[in-house]
Amino acid sequence: MQDKLSELKSILAEVSDLNRAGAVLSWDQQTYMPRAGAEARGQQMGTLGKIAHEKFTDEKVGKFLDELKDAYHPESDEFALIKVTRRDYEKQTRVPADFVVEQAQVTAAAHEGWVAARSKSDFSIFEPHLEKVMDLTRRYIDFFPKADHPYDTLLDDYEPGMKTAEVKAIFAELRKKQVRLIQAIAEQTQVDDSFLHLKFSEVKQRAFGEKVITAFGFDTNKNRLDKAPHPFCTSFSVNDVRITTRYNEKFLNPALFGSMHETGHALYDGGINPSYDRTPLANGASLGVHESQSRMWENLVGRSFPFWEHFYPDLQKIFPSQFSDVKLRDFYKAINKVEPSLIRVEADEATYNMHIMLRLEIEIAMVENTVALKDLPDLWNARMKEYLGVVPPDDAQGVLQDIHWSFGGLGYFSTYALGNLISAQLWEKINSEITDLSTHIREGRFDSLLGWLHANIHVHGRKYEPQELIQKVTGSRLTPAPYLRYLENKFKDVYGL
Amino acid sequence: MQDKLSELKSILAEVSDLNRAGAVLSWDQQTYMPRAGAEARGQQMGTLGKIAHEKFTDEKVGKFLDELKDAYHPESDEFALIKVTRRDYEKQTRVPADFVVEQAQVTAAAHEGWVAARSKSDFSIFEPHLEKVMDLTRRYIDFFPKADHPYDTLLDDYEPGMKTAEVKAIFAELRKKQVRLIQAIAEQTQVDDSFLHLKFSEVKQRAFGEKVITAFGFDTNKNRLDKAPHPFCTSFSVNDVRITTRYNEKFLNPALFGSMHETGHALYDGGINPSYDRTPLANGASLGVHESQSRMWENLVGRSFPFWEHFYPDLQKIFPSQFSDVKLRDFYKAINKVEPSLIRVEADEATYNMHIMLRLEIEIAMVENTVALKDLPDLWNARMKEYLGVVPPDDAQGVLQDIHWSFGGLGYFSTYALGNLISAQLWEKINSEITDLSTHIREGRFDSLLGWLHANIHVHGRKYEPQELIQKVTGSRLTPAPYLRYLENKFKDVYGL
């Protein structure tokens, strides 16, 4: 058995090396690559992906997985490795190679179409591409055993084990209460955040941001922060995890909270059991669990009052002309301002999930074929009015705002909202165990929080399925109640509800 | 035939993608990688190299090469592709896989040993490693057909077609005349270069350096300049070629002339026929020819009087306190100062080749087994005294100064000196065709020079063997006469010989 396991592991190590080499190439493409290098870079990444796929889907791998299925104790790392590898193997071998090639071509064209459509704010340019993407999506679903709902197959790619019915039930509960909360807030005196929209030099933003994320646990011996058009986190090993950010010199929030967010991802990737490196276990449990970490550091920590009790004097020192006359309490209210808006990635904590629900409903309708694609802009705008009371003036600020459909990423959006819920569910548990956590935060100490997350979440990598992990850690499956409690408490505080 | 060629080319494209992905990983390792990422990076690069080797040495490749041998006209690109691929294939398949593994292990340990030995300036620490490297080197030679001299096999890896006897003959002629030149210079009034050793801020050095290399043809759409501990040039496609440099704030020369040097390499790599991309033709003809390009831009252009007639006023403007009182002529003499010294990489044009000759003679003796390794420090120091009149005070500044032997790179050093010779031989030809080249340079125009190099050298990639290329372009094989003429004219000018 030991020989077979080590033979399997040496194949998985090669596949991991190829995938991580691909990740380095992608990181470089988004940070430093000269523009003209794009074509060759696409070929290089394509070759690495193709070889990784060939090696991983080799029959040998399936044979080892069969032979090793019952060889290890269900609680062991070896058992988890076989189980998770089996899951990936099933997914990758069910999809024929020529489908993958077709998908790459269709989505490459769809991406171009989306860019053009968005720049002209004209959905009809994107519609024929989306038609093809949806055709691929339905064929993709057919490669898998029939689920309770066809959308389950898509969800499962991003959030293993999550069902459409369960997400719908969770979101139904959220919608009712979040809509009420948003309405209640709308009736209060509005918050002034004009001082967040002054001039903030990139150099100073960077200096302050680095101070914050270093306090969180970001470590230049194994982490890097670079600039990129789109913020992301990427991991080349537990000892080399990098994030990016972009600076807006007219608005303090994006780079600051964006860096905290990406640091949350980076601390997760860097905290995975090093013995999982070069195996499929060396990743987060799911996108939702990953997002719970980024949201926790960004919102539950970074938008909390104790955090700013510690850091606001530093911020005032770095930006005296902007903040010397602004009281801590007013600053805190400003960074937590609620305002229904058009763009998901700019949404506040109270309204964010509404953007996700709208997308989930539309995606399910697309998969069920109960909506004509040409009607999407109207459907989108109607729902925006119903949920948030705002209507996009054009498609670019409406149905065309997100990249996800152009790459066929249906099923992805939910994980953002699930991440919010998981972050609050974990937060209640953490505060019950580290009862003086807010004192630590007020003192600028984050080691107790990070230590807890490392020991309870990070170290496990993909060993447990997301729901299994949440159950194990909090004692219950994913539930929206903690997040709703969190929102109500927070906005009671900010808006005096 | 066409089908076979395109099948072969698709294998070669994958191999090229893997190798270039490996180059991206190596570039990142030397520029941006956090320190702790080194172990995983080694594994990733090892995997890419291993898969590239497996794919390239596959029997299919040999079969295609056999079948396509006589399929194309000898002047065609296809013929050159088959010939060059055959050459690489023969080299790679003659060396057994387990030898390659052993070599990787021995040289990894030898590198550690060399670092330790150099830091303690104690050759005896490195000697047992060098013993193993030499054992490997002799076994490596034995994998190949018997040549006129065993050292030929090593030379051929770096300078295809070059023979030990020919290099020895060239160097014998050089030695006699260069020693005489160096002695004649030593008898003159020495040059003052103290103003090159003042304080030069990195930011300003960078600004001036970028101005110069941009004028040469460096283009941020397809090139990058980054900082790294060791300057190098690397290519990921003709449209993505990068260089690095390091700044010494107490000495102007290293970054400035180093950037010109690496730009010479970059212009070569970026000028190769784009249709050769993703094939073995997409590389320089040899290390010697590559070095001729870097040396040409660094020395024949960058250390010339017309060049500084154009750029010196700019330099004075950027560094007024250092240069406002220094006359152009004195600056020109300072950057061309001749001074026998201990370290190869710091040597001036008149003495540089002497460092190479000494290494060549010692390497040949090592391969012939006519010197005991323990005697190398004494032999080294004796030759230094004989050729340059200086004696290293310790091994770190003597026999241990270069990294090459630790990675088994015997045969490599000659290419540096050959590059100098080729640069001068090409220079005479260029000046006979572009008769007003020095006027162009005085006006800061380099397009005529770059255009000539593109059309006559760069575009061909590896299509021609180095000697074939030199013959084709200059009408004669490699000869030291132009370089000797160049040195004599230059130092007549600088030292009034």
Side-chain angles (χ1 to χ4, degrees), chain B residues 234-288:
Chain B
T234 183
S235 169
F236 309 142
S237 83
V238 289
N239 288 313
D240 187 354
V241 184
R242 309 186 187 184
I243 65 171
T244 66
T245 194
R246 60 180 164 199
Y247 296 95
N248 177 346
E249 294 209 318
K250 292 177 179 164
F251 188 22
L252 181 69
N253 293 18
L256 176 55
F257 293 102
S259 301
M260 296 187 205
H261 181 100
E262 300 306 334
T263 296
H265 285 305
L267 295 172
Y268 191 173
D269 286 336
I272 294 170
N273 190 332
S275 75
Y276 295 171
D277 237 354
R278 305 178 90 204
T279 79
L281 292 179
N283 221 320
S286 70
L287 289 189

Side-chain angles (χ1 to χ4, degrees), chain B residues 456-474:
Chain B
N456 290 282
I457 306 289
H458 302 173
V459 71
H460 300 307
R462 286 176 77 196
K463 181 167 181 176
Y464 304 106
E465 286 212 347
Q467 290 282 1
E468 195 184 350
L469 180 66
I470 296 165
Q471 174 85 43
K472 183 176 142 75
V473 173
T474 69

Side-chain angles (χ1 to χ4, degrees), chain B residues 20-167:
Chain B
R20 296 212 144 166
V24 175
L25 267 60
S26 170
W27 170 86
D28 177 69
Q29 182 168 34
Q30 295 175 74
T31 51
Y32 293 111
M33 190 185 76
R35 227 180 331 164
E39 191 188 339
R41 183 53 50 89
Q43 291 164 336
Q44 291 152 4
M45 289 167 59
T47 292
L48 295 181
K50 176 172 165 281
I51 297 172
H53 180 78
E54 282 167 6
K55 290 197 176 274
F56 186 67
T57 56
D58 192 291
E59 282 175 11
K60 265 190 303 185
V61 173
K63 222 173 117 268
F64 285 131
L65 291 173
D66 287 341
E67 291 167 354
L68 292 165
K69 201 168 57 154
D70 303 313
Y72 300 98
H73 188 280
E75 267 304 304
S76 68
D77 286 352
E78 290 80 5
F79 182 88
L81 175 66
I82 305 301
K83 185 190 66 183
V84 167
T85 306
R86 160 70 66 190
R87 182 186 142 82
D88 293 352
Y89 183 78
E90 292 290 334
K91 294 236 179 205
Q92 288 204 27
T93 51
R94 280 178 185 278
V95 182
D98 54 357
F99 179 87
V100 175
V101 172
E102 186 186 347
Q103 192 177 37
Q105 289 159 347
V106 167
T107 54
H111 178 76
E112 296 297 307
W114 171 72
V115 169
R118 195 169 74 148
S119 82
K120 295 191 175 136
S121 197
D122 179 354
F123 179 75
S124 73
I125 298 173
F126 182 51
E127 193 194 319
H129 293 287
L130 187 56
E131 199 76 68
K132 286 186 190 151
V133 167
M134 288 311 301
D135 171 57
L136 278 170
T137 302
R138 285 187 208 98
R139 282 161 57 203
Y140 178 83
I141 292 170
D142 287 341
F143 293 132
F144 292 87
K146 205 170 153 59
D148 299 338
H149 190 288
Y151 193 75
D152 286 355
T153 303
L154 305 178
L155 265 181
D156 190 71
D157 281 354
Y158 303 102
E159 202 59 31
M162 182 56 72
K163 301 286 180 198
T164 309
E166 189 173 8
V167 177

Side-chain angles (χ1 to χ4, degrees), chain A residues 220-481:
Chain A
T220 53
N221 275 316
K222 45 184 269 183
N223 298 124
R224 282 191 59 83
L225 166 66
D226 293 279
K227 278 166 60 171
H230 301 280
F232 64 95
C233 171
T234 183
S235 169
F236 310 142
S237 83
V238 290
N239 288 313
D240 187 353
V241 184
R242 308 188 188 183
I243 64 173
T244 67
T245 194
R246 59 180 165 199
Y247 295 95
N248 176 347
E249 294 209 319
K250 292 177 180 164
F251 188 23
L252 180 69
N253 293 17
L256 176 55
F257 292 101
S259 301
M260 295 187 204
H261 180 100
E262 300 306 334
T263 297
H265 285 304
L267 294 172
Y268 191 174
D269 285 336
I272 293 170
N273 190 334
S275 76
Y276 296 171
D277 238 354
R278 306 178 89 204
T279 80
L281 292 179
N283 220 320
S286 69
L287 288 189
V289 177
H290 231 305
E291 195 72 5
S292 79
Q293 301 304 292
S294 55
R295 288 297 190 165
M296 186 181 291
W297 291 96
E298 175 194 359
N299 290 332
L300 296 159
V301 176
R303 283 191 164 89
S304 75
F305 195 74
F307 175 88
W308 287 106
E309 287 184 277
H310 181 81
F311 277 106
Y312 193 55
D314 284 335
L315 187 73
Q316 288 180 307
K317 214 171 289 166
I318 291 186
F319 297 112
S321 69
Q322 295 88 334
F323 295 124
S324 57
D325 293 340
V326 178
K327 291 208 184 76
L328 169 60
R329 183 102 212 140
D330 292 328
F331 177 81
Y332 169 70
K333 287 167 85 166
I335 57 166
N336 284 294
K337 181 180 181 177
V338 174
E339 188 165 46
S341 62
L342 299 171
I343 306 297
R344 175 183 62 85
V345 298
E346 296 169 3
D348 54 74
E349 285 184 273
T351 58
Y352 187 90
N353 285 349
M354 307 307 296
H355 291 269
I356 300 301
M357 288 177 216
L358 172 156
R359 285 158 178 75
L360 177 77
E361 290 158 17
I362 291 177
E363 285 190 356
I364 292 175
M366 282 157 70
V367 168
E368 290 174 342
N369 234 335
T370 54
V371 61
L373 297 187
K374 69 171 171 39
D375 296 334
L376 286 187
D378 289 344
L379 177 59
W380 184 284
N381 295 350
R383 288 286 158 89
M384 282 297 289
K385 178 143 180 68
E386 181 186 346
Y387 293 166
L388 290 167
V390 291
V391 179
D394 54 40
D395 294 344
Q397 294 177 77
V399 68
L400 287 173
Q401 69 185 263
D402 288 310
I403 195 176
H404 301 60
W405 294 344
S406 78
F407 66 75
L410 277 89
Y412 193 126
F413 283 122
S414 303
T415 66
Y416 295 126
L418 297 175
N420 285 332
L421 307 191
I422 299 167
S423 73
Q425 190 167 341
L426 292 175
W427 194 248
E428 288 195 351
K429 181 70 185 171
I430 295 167
N431 280 277
S432 76
E433 297 195 359
I434 311 175
T435 51
D436 50 353
L437 180 58
S438 64
T439 309
H440 295 180
I441 292 176
R442 189 175 299 115
E443 290 166 356
R445 286 175 43 209
F446 303 94
D447 52 335
S448 56
L449 173 60
L450 182 58
W452 193 97
L453 292 171
H454 271 337
N456 290 281
I457 306 288
H458 301 173
V459 71
H460 300 307
R462 287 176 75 196
K463 181 168 181 174
Y464 303 107
E465 285 212 347
Q467 291 282 1
E468 195 184 351
L469 180 67
I470 296 164
Q471 174 84 43
K472 183 177 142 75
V473 172
T474 70
S476 94
R477 283 176 74 82
L478 176 59
T479 151

